[in-house]
Amino acid sequence: MKGFARREFQLVLLRRMADYQPGMVEEAMRALGASRTEMREVNARWQRIVRSRTFPRGRRRYEAVLGPGESGTRRVGDVACEVASWPPLPLWPGLRFEVMLAPDGSVMQKWLVRAEGAPPESVEDLVPWSCVVGDLDDRLGTVVHRDGDAPSRWQATISTPDGSTYVAHFVWGLLQSVVAV
């Protein structure tokens, strides 16, 4: 899509992350050679695209921006869902952007997932941008997932074996903060 590619897509992801990690987002924008104004303009354009009646939906929307993705299938209960993922983005080299599609082709979930590298092993390792939602299960005790307060957000309550409880906040699947409760 003319004037909107991987660089701009990263700015869209950063826009929501700025609510939690403004300093890290500022550094990432500099790495991309972007300004806050450009980030806002790119995000506004993305919002127009998402709301457009004529722009492709489902997987085709992301392919128009990110290029062809790799395909796979993942079962969610009794339903086989198509999964599309794209090679790592420069800001997050160990992660891929993934879209899970319902059988009718609509997007069920879209976020960053681990492509390579070791996920955190303890709550102490959970620092901003160090892990994705999928890294938590089977590593840190009991994890209860729930939707966040916006479509790009996710929360996980972590109960560790020592009885401590934490809430991890994610944006686009990437850890932003962890709070002890």
Side-chain angles (χ1 to χ4, degrees), residues 9 12 15 20 26 29 61 72 86 89 103 119 128-129 136-137 172 177 180:
F9 189 72
V12 169
R15 177 74 172 94
Y20 287 94
E26 195 72 37
M29 285 187 320
R61 172 176 291 162
W86 287 267
L89 298 164
W129 296 14
L136 299 182
D137 294 328
W172 297 111
S177 69

Side-chain angles (χ1 to χ4, degrees), residues 133 136 143-146 154-158 166-170:
V133 171
L136 299 182
V143 180
V144 177
H145 297 278
R146 63 183 182 275
W154 190 264
Q155 291 182 355
T157 302
I158 305 162
Y166 303 86
V167 175
H169 298 271
F170 296 83

Side-chain angles (χ1 to χ4, degrees), residues 4 9 13 24 26 28 31 48 57 78 94 98-99 101 112 123 127 129 132 145 151 154 161 170-171:
F4 204 109
F9 189 72
L13 300 181
M24 293 177 81
E26 195 72 37
R48 286 191 300 275
R57 299 210 178 284
D78 293 337
E98 176 185 272
V99 175
L101 303 155
L112 294 163
V123 172
V127 295
W129 296 14
V132 294
H145 297 278
W154 190 264
F170 296 83
V171 175

Side-chain angles (χ1 to χ4, degrees), residues 55-66:
F55 199 79
R57 299 210 178 284
R59 179 182 180 149
R60 290 182 46 225
R61 172 176 291 162
Y62 296 93
E63 287 177 332
V65 173
L66 299 171

Side-chain angles (χ1 to χ4, degrees), residues 94-95 111-123 125-127 129-141 143 145 154 156 158 168 170 173-175:
L95 306 178
W111 57 12
L112 294 163
V113 298
R114 180 149 317 276
E116 58 188 47
E121 294 292 331
S122 70
V123 172
D125 296 335
L126 296 177
V127 295
W129 296 14
S130 67
C131 74
V132 294
V133 171
D135 291 341
L136 299 182
D137 294 328
D138 301 325
R139 292 196 178 274
L140 303 173
V143 180
H145 297 278
W154 190 264
I158 305 162
F170 296 83
L174 187 62
L175 180 66

